[in-house]
Amino acid sequence: MIHFKAIGKVMGALLMLFALMMLPGAGFAYYFDTGDFDALLQSSLITFSFGSIMFFSFSRQDQNIRKREGYLIVSVSWLLMSIFGMIPYLLSDLSFGISDAIFETISGLTTTGATIINDIEAAPKGILFWRSMTQWIGGLGIIVLTVAIFPLLGIGGIELFVAESPGPTSDKLHPRIQETAKRLWYVYMGLTILAGVLYYIGGMTFYDAVNHALTTLATGGFSTKNASLAHFTSPFIHYTAIIFMILAGTNFTVIYFGLTGKFAKVWKSDEFRTYISVLLILALGLSAPVIYYSGQGVEKAFRDTLFQVVSLVTTTGYVTADYTSYHSGLTMVFFMLLFFGASAGSTSGGIKFIRHLAFFKNSWLEFKRIVHPRAVVPLKINGDRVTGKIITHIMNFLLIYLMIFTISSIIVSLMGYDLLTSFGAVATSLGNVGPAIGRVGPMDNFAFFDPFTKIFLSFIMLLGRLELFTILVLFTPYFWRAN
Amino acid sequence: MIHFKAIGKVMGALLMLFALMMLPGAGFAYYFDTGDFDALLQSSLITFSFGSIMFFSFSRQDQNIRKREGYLIVSVSWLLMSIFGMIPYLLSDLSFGISDAIFETISGLTTTGATIINDIEAAPKGILFWRSMTQWIGGLGIIVLTVAIFPLLGIGGIELFVAESPGPTSDKLHPRIQETAKRLWYVYMGLTILAGVLYYIGGMTFYDAVNHALTTLATGGFSTKNASLAHFTSPFIHYTAIIFMILAGTNFTVIYFGLTGKFAKVWKSDEFRTYISVLLILALGLSAPVIYYSGQGVEKAFRDTLFQVVSLVTTTGYVTADYTSYHSGLTMVFFMLLFFGASAGSTSGGIKFIRHLAFFKNSWLEFKRIVHPRAVVPLKINGDRVTGKIITHIMNFLLIYLMIFTISSIIVSLMGYDLLTSFGAVATSLGNVGPAIGRVGPMDNFAFFDPFTKIFLSFIMLLGRLELFTILVLFTPYFWRAN
Ligand SMILES: [K+]
Ligand SMILES: [K+]
């Protein structure tokens, strides 16, 4: 028996909080008088009413939340936020179809940042703020998940590498999860405010600065400008975005260590060192051909390259240059970045370095195992031994990720889109990035897709955001049969 | 210390045999008087001389062949055959560059079947026969490898699923490897003759029948006709090809069981059942859209679909219809077939069903392991338990396969080819298939590539043919440091 009442209570509380998050958008709508105040206020009231009814209906229940309820809570909470998060779009003057509203909301909550809005600057400012807020909520949600919930559920094999999980390979940030979550929340909040201040100093309006701060820390990538960050020509703003995207893609535990002066612990993280090194190597290595093919000045070409590399690897998806305009080989390289993902325990999506690292290290050791078949050749990460069970789980994750990518690409192409567009749209949705290649390149949007494909891609975003297994396990008999 | 003298002796013997295999081509050249008799005879003499010098120089050596020499023998023998196999092309009137000769020879020996010859029917018949013969030799070589050598070397994780390997999950075909090899040789030879007879009955000339019989059983796919098997309109010939491609893609141990009436053992093979089921499902499932989009009669459309599915899945690469002409979604589906591969212990290349099966079964069990983290959930294939070590090894193979595909595609695209052509050329080379998508679709050839890319793709064919690890291990320090 699944304890549905326990789930209902948690969901009710979540929806009430979610409703409150709609109010700042209403505030901007009122201030700018952009005509979307009513839509946001009504949405908030509707959501709050539903939430409070659910919460109080089940408030006297005494069911426990076990592992199985944990899976359902994660999936259902993202689903409920998607449903109620659509309401502002549907009540606004934007002529969104249902599939448009589903896409934009899920693209927000999953911090993907793909959009179906053709003219972003013409959209009412309150709604746009809500759009940025969905990403910030999603980013916060994923931090809570990776710190508090995934370790308990054993999702994706990286549970041992994120903050608060039990087991020998984890650095205990703080003994109690609740306390940890609070500290990570301060880090998230603090960095968001700092990014906003710097954007403001760099010349953004207060409104733009807040929006971009929210979507930077969420590695979300929604912008209030049609041209994304290419709209702002200030190098200061670009470098600010680069630094904060890198931070947002760092394990928040590692950031916390950094803030408290424990630099040895920061550098001990194999994932962090790999992440920073790969970003540097890619930016430096790709700058030369970009300088050559773009014909721009050295600083601008380097900045563009660094920006695009960081934006794609951290799965943010901001754009300051069209990386598909240089050379088809370079386009391929940038396309491959959609499969990177930054760090576990960050807001970034995708595969993430810890899994790549486990795969590469294990592959190398596999040769040693071939040459010395009787030797015991263990895989070590952060100096600690990784069990065979976790290696298997991580490699399974990688293969299932690629299989979902493949099958989904076929499905999208069967809907009549060309191969590159299909590959691109799926890769960027699954990795929660935003831009891609083909007809969904960095200068395009997703408005032209048919309703089925929009909803399908939204589902792919959710799959990616929740590390595949959280959702997929619900489709197996094991889950429903277990007691 | 590596026992190079032992390797030299084996290589010498191999080259002498290889030289003899050039003589039937010389015979056809003489009979048809196509002007390539001298080229073939000289090539044979040169190769035989080298081989005999090597063999007799080292004939008194008393070094052992150990596992390490085994790896080198496999890689070096393919390399030497590639070098000497080029000579007929270079001595002929065909104006082959070095890179052309390398490509055509390796495409033959690896049973890939991609070609750089624009007008095949204009090429001299002796050389064309040698071209078909290289595939047949390659097919024979891979049977010997998978039956006798890979099990000893522990390559690719499938050593336990092919014929003569030790360990609990293998069906012992016969106690002694030499005897086994002889029986598989009879099966290979017998099926080749049978296919040739049926092709001849179906209306091919004697010459065409022999050539196609050789390249069918090798799952090679070289044809003597520009239009491949589309040249022959006879349904009898097409169905003959379909049946013998399926047989060539079957584990030869399973065929041997079938020939000796042990049908229960045939059906017990999880790989064989999956292989046949998937072929049927794909052919039936794809027929409907092909009938719709091609506007052909039902029988022809079904035959075309079945033929193309079987040809791609078995990695043969014969063509009777342009599978890229229907719909971009269907093109994607056919493209994905390049990643299938048929059975371990057959002449087919690619990933092969046993690995797919291990991955799918293990993925499914992974959900069970998530829901029941304390339960022991073993993977079983053919009713026997598969160790964690082999599962890890197979998943590593799959991931390295996909990584090589990705990186190689980037390299090809950096040479200036569009993304689909790059993806297609690499996928079909790595899987030893032949045709692909983009500019290397089923109606195209590989002549337009620059010399670097031709040589690079040849290397990729070798990597795929030798199950990646055989070659890759030579690039690790573990191999050279071991004692
Ligand atoms: K994003
Ligand atoms: K082939």
Side-chain angles (χ1 to χ4, degrees):
Chain A
M1 261 299 292
I2 290 164
H3 297 173
F4 286 109
K5 286 181 186 169
I7 297 171
K9 185 180 172 188
V10 174
M11 294 295 98
L14 180 77
L15 279 185
M16 288 194 286
L17 260 175
F18 195 62
L20 296 180
M21 304 293 255
M22 293 178 182
L23 296 178
F28 277 111
Y30 184 80
Y31 176 79
F32 290 112
D33 196 18
T34 43
D36 46 341
F37 176 76
D38 287 352
L40 284 157
L41 194 67
Q42 287 165 8
S43 304
S44 180
L45 288 174
I46 294 170
T47 308
F48 195 87
S49 309
F50 268 90
S52 54
I53 290 170
M54 279 176 78
F55 183 78
F56 291 109
S57 307
F58 299 119
S59 65
R60 286 163 177 242
Q61 65 83 28
D62 54 357
Q63 291 182 333
N64 292 324
I65 293 175
R66 300 159 309 170
K67 202 169 160 178
R68 299 176 63 202
E69 282 76 32
Y71 287 109
L72 273 179
I73 284 176
V74 174
S75 296
V76 172
S77 62
W78 242 266
L79 197 70
L80 277 182
M81 287 196 294
S82 304
I83 292 169
F84 286 94
M86 290 165 50
I87 303 178
Y89 297 114
L90 292 174
L91 293 185
S92 78
D93 291 337
L94 291 163
S95 47
F96 270 35
I98 289 285
S99 62
D100 297 320
I102 290 174
F103 185 93
E104 202 74 11
T105 310
I106 294 186
S107 177
L109 287 168
T110 59
T111 78
T112 305
T115 186
I116 55 92
I117 303 179
N118 280 315
D119 188 353
I120 295 165
E121 289 159 42
K125 284 197 156 67
I127 293 289
L128 276 193
F129 188 80
W130 169 240
R131 182 168 164 269
S132 304
M133 182 58 91
T134 56
Q135 296 206 318
W136 198 73
I137 296 169
L140 184 60
I142 212 66
I143 297 279
V144 172
L145 280 184
T146 48
V147 171
I149 301 181
F150 283 160
L152 302 176
L153 301 183
I155 292 295
I158 53 173
E159 61 273 17
L160 295 190
F161 307 108
V162 290
E164 197 51 19
S165 61
T169 60
S170 71
D171 272 304
K172 303 240 185 240
L173 184 67
H174 195 275
R176 282 171 305 143
I177 282 180
Q178 214 179 341
E179 193 64 22
T180 307
K182 205 193 279 179
R183 290 184 180 195
L184 295 181
W185 153 254
Y186 287 140
V187 173
Y188 190 59
M189 192 70 196
L191 289 178
T192 305
I193 291 170
L194 192 57
V197 169
L198 289 171
Y199 281 141
Y200 186 71
I201 292 172
M204 282 191 189
T205 65
F206 176 75
Y207 175 79
D208 287 338
V210 177
N211 274 280
H212 286 95
L214 293 178
T215 61
T216 303
L217 265 294
T219 64
F222 272 154
S223 176
T224 48
K225 300 298 174 187
N226 288 327
S228 184
L229 259 69
H231 178 93
F232 306 98
T233 50
S234 149
F236 181 84
I237 286 181
H238 290 174
Y239 285 111
T240 301
I242 288 168
I243 288 166
F244 281 86
M245 286 192 284
I246 293 175
L247 285 170
T250 304
N251 188 327
F252 273 46
T253 314
V254 169
I255 296 180
Y256 183 77
F257 286 144
L259 291 174
T260 53
K262 295 172 185 161
F263 300 113
K265 282 204 164 187
V266 172
W267 203 242
K268 198 197 158 215
S269 164
D270 284 340
E271 186 181 35
F272 180 68
R273 272 185 289 118
T274 314
Y275 167 53
I276 297 297
S277 314
V278 168
L279 284 180
L280 282 177
I281 292 167
L282 282 170
L284 292 174
L286 291 173
S287 283
V290 169
I291 290 169
Y292 178 80
Y293 286 109
S294 71
Q296 294 178 116
V298 170
E299 190 279 332
K300 177 72 166 75
F302 170 75
R303 193 196 334 146
D304 279 354
T305 312
L306 179 64
F307 191 100
Q308 262 55 238
V309 164
V310 168
S311 176
L312 292 178
V313 169
T314 62
T315 74
T316 307
Y318 284 148
V319 172
T320 60
D322 183 358
Y323 54 76
T324 62
S325 66
Y326 306 127
H327 178 274
S328 76
L330 287 176
T331 304
M332 183 82 105
V333 173
F334 281 105
F335 173 62
M336 290 310 156
L337 299 186
L338 298 179
F339 292 86
F340 277 53
S343 314
S346 76
T347 60
S348 82
I351 291 171
K352 300 184 187 74
F353 275 89
I354 193 74
R355 294 199 183 94
H356 290 297
L357 200 59
F359 160 60
F360 274 96
K361 281 195 167 192
N362 191 62
S363 298
W364 187 247
L365 294 174
E366 203 66 21
F367 291 107
K368 195 170 179 181
R369 293 186 190 117
I370 287 177
V371 178
H372 305 287
R374 276 173 208 87
V376 176
V377 184
L379 169 67
K380 286 186 177 188
I381 288 181
N382 298 341
D384 288 307
R385 195 166 164 161
V386 182
T387 65
K389 197 174 167 182
I390 290 183
I391 299 173
T392 308
H393 196 50
I394 288 178
M395 294 208 288
N396 233 307
F397 178 94
L398 291 170
L399 287 167
I400 291 179
Y401 191 96
L402 294 173
M403 194 185 66
I404 291 174
F405 164 67
T406 308
I407 294 174
S408 306
S409 299
I410 293 178
I411 292 173
V412 172
S413 70
L414 285 173
M415 294 302 293
Y417 304 99
D418 68 276
L419 301 191
L420 292 186
T421 302
S422 307
F423 282 132
V426 171
T428 207
S429 298
L430 191 57
N432 301 136
V433 185
I437 55 169
R439 290 174 69 192
V440 284
M443 303 290 140
D444 309 310
N445 66 42
F446 285 63
F448 65 87
F449 282 111
D450 61 282
F452 168 83
T453 305
K454 281 176 184 159
I455 294 169
F456 179 71
L457 289 174
S458 308
F459 175 71
I460 296 299
M461 293 177 206
L462 274 177
L463 260 185
R465 178 75 286 182
L466 300 181
E467 310 273 325
L468 316 184
F469 288 97
T470 322
I471 292 182
L472 292 179
V473 76
L474 305 182
F475 291 93
T476 66
Y478 305 120
F479 181 81
W480 300 100
R481 259 190 235 142
N483 47 22
Chain B
M1 263 298 293
I2 289 162
H3 296 173
F4 285 108
K5 288 180 184 169
I7 297 170
K9 185 180 171 186
V10 174
M11 293 297 97
L14 180 77
L15 279 186
M16 289 194 286
L17 260 175
F18 195 60
L20 295 180
M21 306 292 255
M22 292 177 181
L23 296 179
F28 276 112
Y30 184 80
Y31 176 80
F32 288 113
D33 195 18
T34 42
D36 46 342
F37 175 75
D38 288 352
L40 284 157
L41 194 66
Q42 287 165 9
S43 303
S44 179
L45 289 174
I46 294 170
T47 308
F48 196 86
S49 310
F50 267 90
S52 54
I53 290 170
M54 280 176 77
F55 183 78
F56 291 109
S57 308
F58 299 119
S59 65
R60 287 165 174 239
Q61 67 82 29
D62 54 355
Q63 291 182 334
N64 293 322
I65 293 174
R66 301 158 309 170
K67 202 169 160 179
R68 299 176 64 204
E69 282 76 35
Y71 286 109
L72 273 178
I73 284 176
V74 174
S75 295
V76 173
S77 62
W78 242 265
L79 196 69
L80 278 182
M81 288 197 293
S82 303
I83 292 169
F84 287 94
M86 289 164 52
I87 304 179
Y89 297 115
L90 293 174
L91 294 185
S92 78
D93 292 338
L94 292 163
S95 47
F96 269 36
I98 289 283
S99 63
D100 296 321
I102 290 174
F103 185 92
E104 201 75 11
T105 310
I106 295 187
S107 176
L109 288 167
T110 58
T111 76
T112 304
T115 187
I116 56 93
I117 303 179
N118 279 315
D119 188 352
I120 294 166
E121 288 159 43
K125 286 198 156 66
I127 293 289
L128 277 193
F129 188 79
W130 169 241
R131 183 168 164 269
S132 304
M133 181 59 88
T134 55
Q135 296 206 319
W136 198 72
I137 295 169
L140 184 59
I142 212 65
I143 297 280
V144 172
L145 281 183
T146 47
V147 171
I149 301 181
F150 282 160
L152 302 176
L153 301 182
I155 293 295
I158 54 173
E159 62 273 16
L160 296 189
F161 306 108
V162 290
E164 196 51 19
S165 62
T169 59
S170 72
D171 272 304
K172 301 235 186 248
L173 184 67
H174 194 274
R176 283 171 304 143
I177 282 179
Q178 217 180 337
E179 192 63 24
T180 308
K182 204 193 280 178
R183 291 188 179 192
L184 295 183
W185 154 254
Y186 288 141
V187 172
Y188 191 57
M189 192 70 195
L191 289 178
T192 305
I193 291 170
L194 192 58
V197 168
L198 289 171
Y199 281 141
Y200 187 72
I201 292 172
M204 282 192 190
T205 65
F206 176 75
Y207 175 79
D208 286 340
V210 177
N211 273 282
H212 285 96
L214 293 178
T215 61
T216 303
L217 265 294
T219 62
F222 272 154
S223 175
T224 48
K225 301 296 176 190
N226 288 327
S228 184
L229 261 70
H231 178 93
F232 307 96
T233 50
S234 148
F236 181 83
I237 287 181
H238 289 174
Y239 284 111
T240 301
I242 288 169
I243 288 166
F244 280 86
M245 287 192 283
I246 293 175
L247 284 170
T250 304
N251 188 327
F252 273 46
T253 313
V254 169
I255 295 180
Y256 184 78
F257 286 143
L259 291 175
T260 51
K262 294 172 184 160
F263 300 114
K265 282 204 165 187
V266 172
W267 203 241
K268 197 197 159 216
S269 165
D270 282 341
E271 187 181 35
F272 180 68
R273 270 185 289 120
T274 314
Y275 168 53
I276 298 297
S277 315
V278 168
L279 284 180
L280 282 178
I281 292 166
L282 281 170
L284 292 174
L286 291 172
S287 282
V290 169
I291 290 168
Y292 178 80
Y293 286 109
S294 71
Q296 295 178 114
V298 171
E299 190 279 333
K300 178 72 168 74
F302 170 74
R303 193 192 340 141
D304 279 353
T305 311
L306 179 63
F307 191 100
Q308 262 53 239
V309 164
V310 168
S311 176
L312 292 178
V313 168
T314 62
T315 75
T316 307
Y318 285 147
V319 172
T320 59
D322 184 357
Y323 54 77
T324 61
S325 66
Y326 306 126
H327 179 274
S328 77
L330 287 176
T331 304
M332 182 83 106
V333 173
F334 281 105
F335 173 63
M336 291 308 157
L337 299 187
L338 298 178
F339 292 85
F340 276 53
S343 312
S346 76
T347 60
S348 82
I351 291 172
K352 299 184 185 72
F353 276 89
I354 192 75
R355 293 199 185 92
H356 289 298
L357 199 59
F359 160 60
F360 274 98
K361 279 196 169 190
N362 191 62
S363 298
W364 188 246
L365 294 174
E366 203 65 21
F367 291 107
K368 194 168 179 183
R369 292 185 190 118
I370 288 177
V371 178
H372 305 286
R374 276 174 210 85
V376 176
V377 184
L379 169 66
K380 287 186 178 189
I381 288 181
N382 299 343
D384 289 306
R385 193 163 164 165
V386 183
T387 66
K389 199 176 166 179
I390 290 183
I391 298 174
T392 307
H393 196 50
I394 288 178
M395 293 209 287
N396 235 305
F397 178 94
L398 291 170
L399 287 167
I400 291 180
Y401 191 96
L402 294 172
M403 194 185 65
I404 291 174
F405 164 67
T406 308
I407 294 175
S408 306
S409 300
I410 292 178
I411 292 172
V412 172
S413 71
L414 285 173
M415 293 302 293
Y417 304 99
D418 68 276
L419 301 190
L420 292 185
T421 302
S422 307
F423 282 133
V426 170
T428 205
S429 298
L430 191 57
N432 300 134
V433 185
I437 56 170
R439 288 175 69 193
V440 285
M443 302 290 141
D444 308 309
N445 66 44
F446 286 62
F448 66 86
F449 281 111
D450 63 281
F452 169 83
T453 304
K454 281 175 185 160
I455 294 170
F456 179 72
L457 290 174
S458 308
F459 176 71
I460 297 298
M461 292 177 206
L462 274 177
L463 260 186
R465 177 74 289 184
L466 300 181
E467 309 272 327
L468 315 184
F469 288 97
T470 324
I471 292 183
L472 292 179
V473 77
L474 305 182
F475 292 94
T476 67
Y478 306 121
F479 180 79
W480 301 98
R481 260 191 234 138
N483 46 24

